[in-house]
Every structure is written in structure tokens, then in C-alpha cells.
Amino acid sequence: MRVWLPEAVTTTAPEIDRLFYILLGITGAVFLLVQLTLIAFVVRYRGRPGRRAGYTHGNLTVEIVWTVIPALILVYLAVHSQHVWAKVRGAPPPPDLEVEITAEQFAWNIRYAGPDGALGSADDLLTINQLHLPVGQTVLIHLKSKDVIHSFFVPQFRVKQDAVPGLTTRLWIEATQAGQFEIACAELCGLGHYRMRGFLTLEPAEAFQQWLASQAPQAEPSEQSS
Ligand SMILES: [Cu+2]
């Protein structure tokens, strides 16, 4: 279901959306109920000449009801969201492809394994701001930063992950449809933050392999593998 959110193009994005709509539905219903009750009470018990205030010590039944119902809702939400969280951010499934993305002021350095299939070796393929990923494959992203905290944000993935200097963060996705999207940096990382933009292409596996093969290894010293 999509009402106004951007497209959801990974296997887990629709589950996050569903959670969002459940929360919106519950909080929206409570909001309406509370506001309508408030308005009704304001009108019904407004001040009138000769009317005196009544005093009450509360009502046990009502208090139990308004405690137990929210408690049940919160337990349900906790269990349900924990389930989604574990899937999205728990141990990743075995990857078909691994990519390393290193954020720096103000670009995304993207590293693919070369013909030897190993990341961090001399034949790695490097691109800047151009991330291509195959549809229907599990991709494990190793996210790093060279300088300050950046944040890897692809709205269509429903993923926003900080890139922290000195840490390697892992996140995984499996894309479900082809398309062109943008990678934004969602952390104010310096004066050039606004232009820290990457381009994401999701394409069928064969097209991805062709693109990868067309990226001739850059003639760069291979020292910067860390
Ligand atoms: Cu940044």
C-alpha cells in the first residue's frame, strides 16, 4: 500500500511502511477520539448562570480500561516492530554481492570486488557517486566514512544509516524493481553537504554485470583499501 510515501523498492521496505501505517492509524484514531471528546465536553459543560461545578474522586473501572487498552496496544507494537527490526537490521542473509561505500566530504566512494571476487584487493572497481545494484539479489553494503559523520539515505529503500569514522556499518537490501534513484547524505556534514548526492541504478542482474564489466579498473594505487 502506498499513499504518499516514495516507492518501496526492497523486500523489507513494504513491512516498514505497513508498520508506519499501523502506527499512523492508531495514533490518528486516538487523536480524533480525544479531540472530539474534548470539543463535546467543552460544549456540554460550558459555564451557565446558576450551574455549579460537580466534584468527583474518579472511577476505577474507567481508569483500568484506559490503562489496559493502551498497554495491550503498546505490547502488540513492540512485538511487531521488533520482528521487523530483527529482519531489517539483524544478521544479514548470505549476500550475493558485497559493496563497500566510503563517505567523505562530499562524495560517495563506491568499491566493487574485481575479477578476483574479493573486496579490498588490487583489482577492485571504484566509482564515485555511481551505485549500481542488481535486482533480486541480496546485497551487503559495508558503510564507512573517511572524515566526519555522514548518513547514507535512500528513501526508496527506507534505509537511513550513519557512516561513522572508525566504524564499518553493515546493511543489506534486496531490490525488487529496477529504476533510477538518488542517494542523499542525511547528516549535516559540512558546507558542501547539500551537494553530497549519489545516483543509484537498480537493474536486472545481467545488465548489472555488463555495467560492472564496463567499469575498467582505475589505474590507482591500491593502497587505500582500508
Ligand atoms: Cu555527508
Side-chain angles (χ1 to χ4, degrees):
M1 180 169 69
R2 176 161 80 92
V3 179
W4 75 87
L5 298 175
E7 282 176 276
V9 302
T10 65
T11 50
T12 51
E15 298 192 45
I16 294 171
D17 290 1
R18 209 170 300 129
L19 198 54
F20 172 79
Y21 285 121
I22 291 172
L23 285 166
L24 187 66
I26 294 173
T27 51
V30 171
F31 173 78
L32 283 179
L33 205 69
V34 168
Q35 297 305 314
L36 291 176
T37 311
L38 180 66
I39 292 168
F41 275 53
V42 163
V43 172
R44 183 162 171 196
Y45 298 108
R46 67 186 181 278
R48 285 192 187 134
R51 180 185 264 188
R52 297 195 54 186
Y55 293 91
T56 171
H57 288 289
N59 181 322
L60 186 64
T61 314
V62 171
E63 285 167 13
I64 289 175
V65 167
W66 78 41
T67 305
V68 169
I69 292 178
L72 290 177
I73 292 173
L74 288 176
V75 168
Y76 161 74
L77 289 177
V79 171
H80 184 55
S81 61
Q82 176 56 34
H83 175 76
V84 176
W85 177 258
K87 189 165 170 182
V88 175
R89 302 314 302 265
D96 300 309
L97 173 73
E98 295 189 57
V99 183
E100 184 185 281
I101 301 179
T102 306
E104 71 170 295
Q105 291 172 320
F106 297 96
W108 304 97
N109 299 285
I110 295 156
R111 177 183 289 269
Y112 294 90
D116 70 355
L119 267 179
S121 55
D123 68 347
D124 280 356
L125 306 173
L126 303 171
T127 72
I128 295 175
N129 292 335
Q130 295 291 337
L131 177 62
H132 284 233
L133 295 176
V135 171
Q137 294 191 5
T138 309
V139 180
L140 183 60
I141 297 172
H142 302 270
L143 190 61
K144 300 180 175 188
S145 172
K146 270 188 195 172
D147 37 41
V148 300
I149 300 176
H150 301 271
S151 184
F152 176 81
F153 182 30
V154 179
Q156 290 82 1
F157 286 177
R158 308 292 189 265
V159 161
K160 186 188 277 175
Q161 173 62 53
D162 279 2
V164 183
L167 278 185
T168 300
T169 321
R170 296 192 307 171
L171 52 118
W172 73 274
I173 61 112
E174 181 184 334
T176 51
Q177 56 176 278
Q180 305 264 7
F181 307 99
E182 285 189 7
I183 305 166
C185 179
E187 190 73 55
L188 184 54
C189 56
L191 284 177
H193 165 66
Y194 69 94
R195 61 181 154 86
M196 187 161 169
R197 183 164 74 142
F199 300 90
L200 168 67
T201 305
L202 300 178
E203 55 196 353
E206 313 82 67
F208 168 74
Q209 288 303 340
Q210 278 173 18
W211 173 82
L212 199 58
S214 75
Q215 300 294 303
Q218 328 270 300
E220 279 194 41
S222 60
E223 291 317 270
Q224 349 148 347
S225 59
S226 60

